[in-house]
Amino acid sequence: MSQSVKNQSIEYIANVMKTLGDQNRLYIFSLLSKHELCVCEITAISHLSQSNVSQHLAKLKSAGLVKERRDAQWIYYSLNSQKNPVVSEIIKLIPEPPENIFPTASSGNHSTCKF
Amino acid sequence: MSQSVKNQSIEYIANVMKTLGDQNRLYIFSLLSKHELCVCEITAISHLSQSNVSQHLAKLKSAGLVKERRDAQWIYYSLNSQKNPVVSEIIKLIPEPPENIFPTASSGNHSTCKF
DNA sequence: TTAGTATATTAGAATATACTAATAAGGTAA
DNA sequence: TTACCTTATTAGTATATTCTAATATACTAA
């Protein structure tokens, strides 16, 4: 914890809590705590609609909790742990998703998104 | 951390986050992290209505975050740190309220609630 | 008992949220 | 270019939330 979490304003912490206070968003956050994932992978794992996943990711991003990286058609999301000290503290609070729900390396070549 | 926070279900953690994802409730939670307070004290410090404070406290209690203790007319609320391992983890995330907003011991004799 | 104080509950209005369906936008590859 | 894939955005609906105002409940003390 290089920069103290406690230096954040209560307004910001409340916004983080509100953002993660939705079951589906917290679940997406927990997925990203284990692996960087593209939107279609999250959509497949979560059984939410693509539109819904996209909207949840936008809120997570707006709260400074995730970052994105484009690779061809795919946009990969991951937690913003490096820049945001709150993220690593939150990770300690949430249960880890089972590893077997994630696509395997062999299935993840993205010739087409079949997840 | 005698009992691990990570053993809690993601549904429960989401509900805790949702409960604390309101600025006013998070503020009340932060007040209680420093002092046990009765409803009229919280009402005075927070500048919220008595009804509103009561409703927020009911939600905090329903989420297992606070407990109450009656003393004559007054009901004192405090954090449920002993029974709920999540509480002490959350405390680490939130900024501390300034000490000078709390009623002093001399003003707190409750001959009438003048806070 | 009655009056007064502290807290909880209810009803209702205004606002915010999550979701679906449809469409737009950005990129790839033939 | 066109067809296709991935992601984002928009509009609209259903539901949830926060707050105020009014009232009810619980306790104390005269």
Side-chain angles (χ1 to χ4, degrees), chain A residues 2-60:
Chain A
S2 54
Q3 200 195 354
S4 174
V5 180
K6 287 234 181 186
N7 291 339
Q8 305 288 341
S9 71
I10 198 164
E11 290 80 10
Y12 177 68
I13 300 294
N15 187 56
V16 166
M17 300 269 187
K18 185 184 203 169
T19 303
L20 294 176
D22 174 89
Q23 272 194 222
N24 290 328
R25 269 197 301 273
L26 188 62
Y27 182 59
I28 292 172
F29 182 92
S30 81
L31 295 176
L32 297 177
S33 76
K34 303 304 284 180
H35 294 282
E36 179 186 60
L37 295 167
C38 70
V39 179
C40 64
E41 288 172 318
I42 298 169
T43 300
I45 298 171
S46 67
H47 302 297
L48 300 171
S49 73
Q50 181 271 317
S51 169
N52 198 6
V53 168
S54 184
Q55 291 173 70
H56 283 315
L57 288 168
K59 289 208 173 188
L60 289 166

Side-chain angles (χ1 to χ4, degrees), chain A residues 52-99:
Chain A
N52 198 6
V53 168
S54 184
Q55 291 173 70
H56 283 315
L57 288 168
K59 289 208 173 188
L60 289 166
K61 190 182 163 198
S62 162
L65 296 170
V66 306
K67 61 183 192 296
E68 56 184 279
R69 164 182 79 82
R70 178 179 277 278
D71 180 8
Q73 296 114 312
W74 298 278
I75 300 181
Y76 287 89
Y77 282 85
S78 57
L79 296 195
N80 205 6
S81 315
Q82 296 275 342
K83 291 199 176 175
N84 190 340
V86 176
V87 171
S88 35
E89 294 304 309
I90 299 281
I91 291 175
K92 297 179 188 170
L93 292 176
I94 58 176
E96 299 179 11
E99 194 61 39

Side-chain angles (χ1 to χ4, degrees), chain B residues 16-68:
Chain B
V16 166
M17 300 269 187
K18 184 183 202 170
T19 302
L20 294 176
D22 174 88
Q23 273 194 221
N24 291 329
R25 269 196 302 273
L26 188 60
Y27 182 59
I28 292 173
F29 182 91
S30 81
L31 295 177
L32 296 177
S33 75
K34 303 305 286 182
H35 294 282
E36 179 186 61
L37 295 168
C38 69
V39 180
C40 62
E41 287 172 319
I42 298 169
T43 300
I45 297 171
S46 68
H47 302 296
L48 300 170
S49 73
Q50 180 270 319
S51 168
N52 198 5
V53 168
S54 185
Q55 289 173 73
H56 283 315
L57 288 168
K59 287 206 175 186
L60 289 167
K61 190 182 164 196
S62 162
L65 296 171
V66 306
K67 61 182 194 297
E68 56 183 279

Side-chain angles (χ1 to χ4, degrees), chain B residues 46-100:
Chain B
S46 68
H47 302 296
L48 300 170
S49 73
Q50 180 270 319
S51 168
N52 198 5
V53 168
S54 185
Q55 289 173 73
H56 283 315
L57 288 168
K59 287 206 175 186
L60 289 167
K61 190 182 164 196
S62 162
L65 296 171
V66 306
K67 61 182 194 297
E68 56 183 279
R69 166 181 78 82
R70 179 179 277 278
D71 179 11
Q73 295 116 313
W74 299 280
I75 299 181
Y76 287 88
Y77 282 85
S78 57
L79 296 194
N80 204 6
S81 314
Q82 296 275 342
K83 290 199 175 172
N84 191 339
V86 176
V87 171
S88 36
E89 293 304 308
I90 299 282
I91 291 175
K92 298 178 188 170
L93 293 175
I94 58 176
E96 299 180 9
E99 193 62 39
N100 64 11

